[in-house]
Amino acid sequence: LGRDALAGVISAVVQIAYCISFSALIFQGALASGFSLGLAAIIMGTVVTGIVVALTSTLSPADAGPDTPAIAVMSVLAGSIAAALAAKGASTQAIILNVMVGISVSTLFTGILLFGLGALKLGQWVRFIPYPVIAGFLAASGWLLMTGGVEVVTQSNLTLSPASWAMLYSPTYGPQILVGLAFAVAIVVIGRLVPDYLALPVAFISFLVVANVILFGFVSDEVRSAWFLPSLGQLTLWWPISAVMQHDVDWGVLAQSSAEIGAVCGITAISMLLDVSSLEVARQKSADLDKEFRTNGFANILAAVAGGAGGNLSLNGALLIEKSGAVGRLGGVFAALVCAVVLFAGADIGAMVPKAILMGMLAYLGVTILAETLHSPAQSSWADWALAGGIMLVIVNFG
């Protein structure tokens, strides 16, 4: 019990860091005022999916939460909804409401898709998706995470056009980007000095403490404010059913974003397949893929009703919690419960973490996904690589 509890606390630190970074990625620019609401939804999704998957997975000990490729696509969904509503002259509050509804709808349909694949015993068929398609989608999501990390700092869109790079060299944002890159590199360096599972928590806490000591002890208020997201008060829970009943939702705009919603569902299924397959190899153990789809689907349906963002069995989370000492299902449950304590305590944790650290976290995750994509099957040909690269470029340029 003690080992499971300690492993859960270590995993929860990493999960909370992920959640803050993911919320900052989705809710930036015109959506920045929705950061705390989005963070609460992402943590709620982590709590619900974490408990359900930990108690039901055939690859115990396990952990679950929002998956990085799906979050990258979810940020595109949020941008699509926001742009369509802004063109109609909608208020910021209405835009944020519709984005939150879009996230809940994508989570619900993701749950239905995953549960349907498992219930119809179609899980094995997902394995037949061609590798270049998977590689192209994952590579694009890795790129979106890296550029999204920079956008968290600059609060402006970063494209392939050199004109959008001017913000990177400004005295306001340049130092933050350098600190973020240093944090991403530190995770790798620290990983060579301590056990792998401690690298990210140690780097995150160390940079957080040092950065806050410097910013609050030796920097003026005006300069320090540029290093943090605006303080938006305590976390408040998001209840989608109540919001839909009490407010106007532009279902036409959500329907126009059906392609992005479908992409969230599809990339979650692909990511989950890859996570399950990789975890099978890592533990030399076969999983019941159909059961994994059913339980993860049920977890997402439950998360959507509870106001949480989508999530699924996490390869990194499962390996982290195992290496942290967990020996049973309670490890993942403890991790989710610690996240629940943070959520229901209502702390304004977003205002405590500098944007540079959030950028570094997203950049690290993006590079990790790109590196994993390069580990292609031995039989891959140049045609496969060309197709994967083409898919990536199309997504990066056109969505």
Side-chain angles (χ1 to χ4, degrees):
L1 185 63
R3 292 179 64 181
D4 282 346
L6 179 60
V9 171
I10 294 173
S11 180
V13 171
V14 177
Q15 289 283 21
I16 291 297
Y18 283 163
C19 290
I20 300 172
S21 300
F22 292 157
S23 182
L25 174 67
I26 297 173
F27 293 90
Q28 55 178 294
L31 297 174
S33 59
F35 170 81
S36 60
L37 196 62
L39 177 57
I42 294 175
I43 296 179
M44 176 63 82
T46 301
V47 172
V48 174
T49 58
I51 292 176
V52 173
V53 171
L55 292 176
T56 59
S57 176
T58 57
L59 291 169
S60 179
D63 195 14
D67 210 350
T68 45
I71 289 291
V73 181
M74 202 174 288
S75 69
V76 178
L77 168 64
S80 171
I81 295 174
L85 288 172
K88 291 185 173 184
S91 65
T92 300
Q93 183 178 2
I95 293 175
I96 292 173
L97 168 72
N98 280 269
V99 168
M100 292 298 298
V101 172
I103 291 174
S104 295
V105 169
S106 67
T107 300
L108 177 63
F109 278 103
T110 295
I112 294 173
L113 172 64
L114 297 181
F115 188 87
L117 289 172
L120 298 175
K121 300 188 182 301
L122 298 176
Q124 294 293 341
W125 287 96
V126 183
R127 297 185 189 271
F128 288 95
I129 297 176
Y131 177 78
V133 177
I134 295 176
F137 266 88
L138 292 181
S141 65
W143 174 264
L144 292 173
L145 284 171
M146 290 190 295
T147 57
V150 176
E151 291 170 2
V152 167
V153 170
T154 63
Q155 295 295 301
S156 61
N157 291 331
L158 187 68
T159 66
L160 295 179
S161 171
S164 67
W165 305 347
M167 300 289 287
L168 307 183
Y169 314 112
S170 71
T172 301
Y173 302 120
Q176 296 186 50
I177 292 173
L178 290 177
V179 171
L181 294 176
F183 173 62
V185 173
I187 298 173
V188 179
V189 173
I190 292 175
R192 298 181 178 180
L193 303 176
V194 302
D196 291 342
Y197 66 89
L198 288 176
L200 204 156
V202 169
F204 178 76
I205 294 175
S206 300
F207 267 73
L208 182 62
V209 171
V210 172
N212 281 339
V213 167
I214 294 174
L215 291 172
F216 284 95
F218 305 96
V219 175
S220 66
D221 292 345
E222 182 180 356
V223 174
R224 182 173 63 246
S225 63
W227 283 71
F228 290 88
L229 295 168
S231 179
L232 301 170
Q234 295 184 342
L235 297 179
T236 54
L237 297 180
W238 157 253
W239 302 111
I241 296 178
S242 175
V244 169
M245 294 177 62
Q246 298 178 11
H247 301 277
D248 291 331
V249 176
D250 195 327
W251 294 106
V253 168
L254 292 180
Q256 292 174 12
S257 301
S258 57
E260 287 82 1
I261 293 175
V264 173
C265 300
I267 200 68
T268 301
I270 292 173
S271 297
M272 185 184 153
L273 168 68
L274 295 177
D275 284 352
V276 170
S277 300
S278 300
L279 199 54
E280 286 177 324
V281 174
R283 292 184 175 169
Q284 296 296 301
K285 178 182 178 181
S286 295
D288 184 339
L289 189 57
D290 289 323
K291 181 180 179 181
E292 295 294 341
F293 273 115
R294 290 196 303 273
T295 56
N296 279 264
F298 172 74
N300 275 271
I301 293 173
L302 189 60
V305 175
N312 56 269
L313 174 69
S314 169
L315 169 64
N316 292 333
L319 294 178
L320 167 65
I321 205 164
E322 180 184 24
K323 292 178 180 178
S324 301
V327 293
R329 297 187 180 278
L330 289 181
V333 174
F334 276 119
L337 292 178
V338 172
C339 292
V341 170
V342 173
L343 173 61
F344 289 102
D348 186 11
I349 55 178
M352 304 174 190
V353 184
K355 292 187 292 184
I357 294 180
L358 302 181
M359 176 223 147
M361 177 80 72
L362 293 169
Y364 169 76
L365 294 173
V367 171
T368 300
I369 290 178
L370 286 174
E372 291 174 350
T373 303
L374 293 177
H375 290 289
S376 63
Q379 68 271 20
S380 292
S381 64
W382 285 108
D384 292 335
W385 282 109
L387 180 57
I391 291 174
M392 174 186 173
L393 290 175
V394 169
I395 294 174
V396 168
N397 280 283
F398 302 106

